[in-house]
Amino acid sequence: MTDAAADGTTDLTGLYREYGDDRLPPGQRETDRFPVLSKGETPAWNADSFAFEVWGAVDEPQSFSLATFRDLPSVTQRQDFHCVTGWSTFDCTFTGVKFAEIAARAGLDDDVSHVVFHALDGYTTNLPLGECTEPGVLFAYGYDGGDLPADHGGPIRVVTPHKYAYKGAKWVTGVEFLTEKELGYWEKRGYSDTANPWKEERYS
Ligand SMILES: Nc1nc2c(c(=O)[nH]1)N[C@H]1C(S)=C(S)[C@@H](COP(=O)(O)O)O[C@H]1N2
Ligand SMILES: [Mo]
């Protein structure tokens, strides 16, 4: 289902076949640009003091500086990006650390069922644990061979190619492991918790 190209990039642009017949999900239009969509301003951060943290129902809470995070094993993937407001951008290339890599380092309690991602702008979003280990859920710090631009969530953001993009927190400061579901910022405000673009799960 995933193809590794000669340059080591994993091609996830065929991932839609697990969910629907068309690469472009229903009700979406393709744009050649990669628009920026944030609930507020791009937050400021300091590369020397930035910390990415892992806490909650884990054996070993983790804290990474930007430098130690970038030293973790990484992957590069090409994927499509679908915003719930109706635009899709094809062929975005992200580099980062797989969700599973982070979870393995923290060691999850047996009863972990959900996660909440936290971000510098106060944004949160939630996913069931099982959805986070799907291919493509990445803590991304690179875009198109360079650093992830600040407007797109640098230094680190989450990407969720199988979900509407609001499930991917920009400026992510950490992940909290939970034994019960908690809703995130948009999920509390009427957006779908399941957010499958091919089923057009936009609102709850
Ligand atoms: N921290 C944070 N993450 C966020 C958002 C936000 O406002 N704050 N917006 C979400 C929404 S609705 C979308 S479509 C994508 C947009 O990512 P982009 O600006 O890189 O296109 O980020 C998601 N992650
Ligand atoms: Mo969005």
Side-chain angles (χ1 to χ4, degrees), residues 1 3 11-18 23 78 80:
M1 194 211 65
D3 304 313
D11 183 5
L12 293 173
T13 60
L15 181 135
Y16 71 89
R17 293 190 194 98
E18 305 227 334
R23 184 171 172 187
R78 186 165 55 254
D80 299 339

PDB file of all heavy atoms in Angstrom, residues 1 3 11-18 23 78 80:
ATOM      1  N   MET A   1       0.805  -1.201   0.000  1.00  0.00           N
ATOM      2  CA  MET A   1       0.000   0.000   0.000  1.00  0.00           C
ATOM      3  C   MET A   1       0.849   1.267   0.000  1.00  0.00           C
ATOM      4  O   MET A   1       0.483   2.269  -0.566  1.00  0.00           O
ATOM      5  CB  MET A   1      -0.912   0.003   1.217  1.00  0.00           C
ATOM      6  CG  MET A   1      -2.006   1.035   1.123  1.00  0.00           C
ATOM      7  SD  MET A   1      -2.461   1.640   2.726  1.00  0.00           S
ATOM      8  CE  MET A   1      -0.953   2.439   3.205  1.00  0.00           C
ATOM      9  N   ASP A   3       4.543   2.922  -1.100  1.00  0.00           N
ATOM     10  CA  ASP A   3       5.675   2.656  -1.970  1.00  0.00           C
ATOM     11  C   ASP A   3       6.838   3.531  -1.555  1.00  0.00           C
ATOM     12  O   ASP A   3       6.688   4.732  -1.413  1.00  0.00           O
ATOM     13  CB  ASP A   3       5.327   3.005  -3.426  1.00  0.00           C
ATOM     14  CG  ASP A   3       4.094   2.258  -3.887  1.00  0.00           C
ATOM     15  OD1 ASP A   3       4.051   1.056  -3.640  1.00  0.00           O
ATOM     16  OD2 ASP A   3       3.192   2.898  -4.451  1.00  0.00           O
ATOM     17  N   ASP A  11       5.606   7.037  -0.618  1.00  0.00           N
ATOM     18  CA  ASP A  11       4.489   7.640  -1.351  1.00  0.00           C
ATOM     19  C   ASP A  11       3.164   7.222  -0.717  1.00  0.00           C
ATOM     20  O   ASP A  11       2.773   6.058  -0.796  1.00  0.00           O
ATOM     21  CB  ASP A  11       4.538   7.192  -2.817  1.00  0.00           C
ATOM     22  CG  ASP A  11       3.442   7.851  -3.632  1.00  0.00           C
ATOM     23  OD1 ASP A  11       2.723   8.715  -3.090  1.00  0.00           O
ATOM     24  OD2 ASP A  11       3.306   7.487  -4.815  1.00  0.00           O
ATOM     25  N   LEU A  12       2.510   8.170  -0.074  1.00  0.00           N
ATOM     26  CA  LEU A  12       1.214   7.894   0.565  1.00  0.00           C
ATOM     27  C   LEU A  12       0.048   8.483  -0.236  1.00  0.00           C
ATOM     28  O   LEU A  12      -1.070   8.533   0.267  1.00  0.00           O
ATOM     29  CB  LEU A  12       1.194   8.472   1.984  1.00  0.00           C
ATOM     30  CG  LEU A  12       2.138   7.799   2.979  1.00  0.00           C
ATOM     31  CD1 LEU A  12       2.146   8.569   4.291  1.00  0.00           C
ATOM     32  CD2 LEU A  12       1.712   6.357   3.234  1.00  0.00           C
ATOM     33  N   THR A  13       0.307   8.888  -1.479  1.00  0.00           N
ATOM     34  CA  THR A  13      -0.770   9.530  -2.240  1.00  0.00           C
ATOM     35  C   THR A  13      -1.825   8.516  -2.707  1.00  0.00           C
ATOM     36  O   THR A  13      -2.878   8.923  -3.180  1.00  0.00           O
ATOM     37  CB  THR A  13      -0.212  10.301  -3.454  1.00  0.00           C
ATOM     38  OG1 THR A  13       0.481   9.385  -4.312  1.00  0.00           O
ATOM     39  CG2 THR A  13       0.746  11.402  -3.008  1.00  0.00           C
ATOM     40  N   GLY A  14      -1.528   7.212  -2.548  1.00  0.00           N
ATOM     41  CA  GLY A  14      -2.531   6.203  -2.896  1.00  0.00           C
ATOM     42  C   GLY A  14      -3.330   5.726  -1.696  1.00  0.00           C
ATOM     43  O   GLY A  14      -4.166   4.824  -1.812  1.00  0.00           O
ATOM     44  N   LEU A  15      -3.081   6.352  -0.550  1.00  0.00           N
ATOM     45  CA  LEU A  15      -3.747   5.959   0.694  1.00  0.00           C
ATOM     46  C   LEU A  15      -5.271   6.047   0.619  1.00  0.00           C
ATOM     47  O   LEU A  15      -5.984   5.318   1.295  1.00  0.00           O
ATOM     48  CB  LEU A  15      -3.187   6.884   1.781  1.00  0.00           C
ATOM     49  CG  LEU A  15      -3.582   6.800   3.221  1.00  0.00           C
ATOM     50  CD1 LEU A  15      -2.310   6.901   4.053  1.00  0.00           C
ATOM     51  CD2 LEU A  15      -4.474   7.942   3.603  1.00  0.00           C
ATOM     52  N   TYR A  16      -5.780   6.921  -0.280  1.00  0.00           N
ATOM     53  CA  TYR A  16      -7.231   7.082  -0.414  1.00  0.00           C
ATOM     54  C   TYR A  16      -7.925   5.772  -0.778  1.00  0.00           C
ATOM     55  O   TYR A  16      -9.098   5.589  -0.479  1.00  0.00           O
ATOM     56  CB  TYR A  16      -7.542   8.146  -1.485  1.00  0.00           C
ATOM     57  CG  TYR A  16      -7.244   7.716  -2.896  1.00  0.00           C
ATOM     58  CD1 TYR A  16      -8.208   7.065  -3.663  1.00  0.00           C
ATOM     59  CD2 TYR A  16      -5.987   7.941  -3.455  1.00  0.00           C
ATOM     60  CE1 TYR A  16      -7.926   6.652  -4.955  1.00  0.00           C
ATOM     61  CE2 TYR A  16      -5.701   7.536  -4.737  1.00  0.00           C
ATOM     62  CZ  TYR A  16      -6.668   6.882  -5.480  1.00  0.00           C
ATOM     63  OH  TYR A  16      -6.377   6.461  -6.735  1.00  0.00           O
ATOM     64  N   ARG A  17      -7.187   4.833  -1.413  1.00  0.00           N
ATOM     65  CA  ARG A  17      -7.833   3.593  -1.860  1.00  0.00           C
ATOM     66  C   ARG A  17      -8.384   2.785  -0.695  1.00  0.00           C
ATOM     67  O   ARG A  17      -9.269   1.973  -0.871  1.00  0.00           O
ATOM     68  CB  ARG A  17      -6.846   2.740  -2.661  1.00  0.00           C
ATOM     69  CG  ARG A  17      -6.458   3.402  -3.978  1.00  0.00           C
ATOM     70  CD  ARG A  17      -5.681   2.456  -4.879  1.00  0.00           C
ATOM     71  NE  ARG A  17      -5.057   3.209  -5.959  1.00  0.00           N
ATOM     72  CZ  ARG A  17      -3.786   3.610  -5.952  1.00  0.00           C
ATOM     73  NH1 ARG A  17      -3.000   3.292  -4.940  1.00  0.00           N
ATOM     74  NH2 ARG A  17      -3.307   4.313  -6.962  1.00  0.00           N
ATOM     75  N   GLU A  18      -7.848   3.017   0.506  1.00  0.00           N
ATOM     76  CA  GLU A  18      -8.393   2.333   1.690  1.00  0.00           C
ATOM     77  C   GLU A  18      -9.732   2.913   2.101  1.00  0.00           C
ATOM     78  O   GLU A  18     -10.452   2.317   2.892  1.00  0.00           O
ATOM     79  CB  GLU A  18      -7.448   2.527   2.877  1.00  0.00           C
ATOM     80  CG  GLU A  18      -6.064   2.090   2.591  1.00  0.00           C
ATOM     81  CD  GLU A  18      -5.485   1.228   3.704  1.00  0.00           C
ATOM     82  OE1 GLU A  18      -5.916   1.364   4.861  1.00  0.00           O
ATOM     83  OE2 GLU A  18      -4.613   0.411   3.366  1.00  0.00           O
ATOM     84  N   ARG A  23      -9.092   9.981  -5.504  1.00  0.00           N
ATOM     85  CA  ARG A  23      -8.009  10.640  -4.767  1.00  0.00           C
ATOM     86  C   ARG A  23      -8.519  11.943  -4.155  1.00  0.00           C
ATOM     87  O   ARG A  23      -8.172  12.269  -3.010  1.00  0.00           O
ATOM     88  CB  ARG A  23      -6.840  10.893  -5.726  1.00  0.00           C
ATOM     89  CG  ARG A  23      -5.654  11.488  -5.037  1.00  0.00           C
ATOM     90  CD  ARG A  23      -4.455  11.513  -5.952  1.00  0.00           C
ATOM     91  NE  ARG A  23      -3.368  12.255  -5.344  1.00  0.00           N
ATOM     92  CZ  ARG A  23      -2.232  12.557  -5.951  1.00  0.00           C
ATOM     93  NH1 ARG A  23      -2.023  12.158  -7.200  1.00  0.00           N
ATOM     94  NH2 ARG A  23      -1.300  13.253  -5.321  1.00  0.00           N
ATOM     95  N   ARG A  78       5.401  11.579   0.875  1.00  0.00           N
ATOM     96  CA  ARG A  78       4.605  12.438  -0.006  1.00  0.00           C
ATOM     97  C   ARG A  78       3.141  12.081   0.218  1.00  0.00           C
ATOM     98  O   ARG A  78       2.775  10.902   0.217  1.00  0.00           O
ATOM     99  CB  ARG A  78       4.993  12.222  -1.475  1.00  0.00           C
ATOM    100  CG  ARG A  78       4.294  13.182  -2.419  1.00  0.00           C
ATOM    101  CD  ARG A  78       4.945  13.217  -3.792  1.00  0.00           C
ATOM    102  NE  ARG A  78       5.039  11.905  -4.386  1.00  0.00           N
ATOM    103  CZ  ARG A  78       6.156  11.196  -4.496  1.00  0.00           C
ATOM    104  NH1 ARG A  78       7.309  11.678  -4.065  1.00  0.00           N
ATOM    105  NH2 ARG A  78       6.162   9.987  -5.031  1.00  0.00           N
ATOM    106  N   ASP A  80      -1.252  13.754   0.290  1.00  0.00           N
ATOM    107  CA  ASP A  80      -2.216  14.808   0.008  1.00  0.00           C
ATOM    108  C   ASP A  80      -2.717  15.383   1.328  1.00  0.00           C
ATOM    109  O   ASP A  80      -2.624  14.737   2.378  1.00  0.00           O
ATOM    110  CB  ASP A  80      -3.374  14.242  -0.812  1.00  0.00           C
ATOM    111  CG  ASP A  80      -2.894  13.679  -2.147  1.00  0.00           C
ATOM    112  OD1 ASP A  80      -1.793  14.070  -2.596  1.00  0.00           O
ATOM    113  OD2 ASP A  80      -3.619  12.843  -2.721  1.00  0.00           O
TER     114      ASP A  80
END
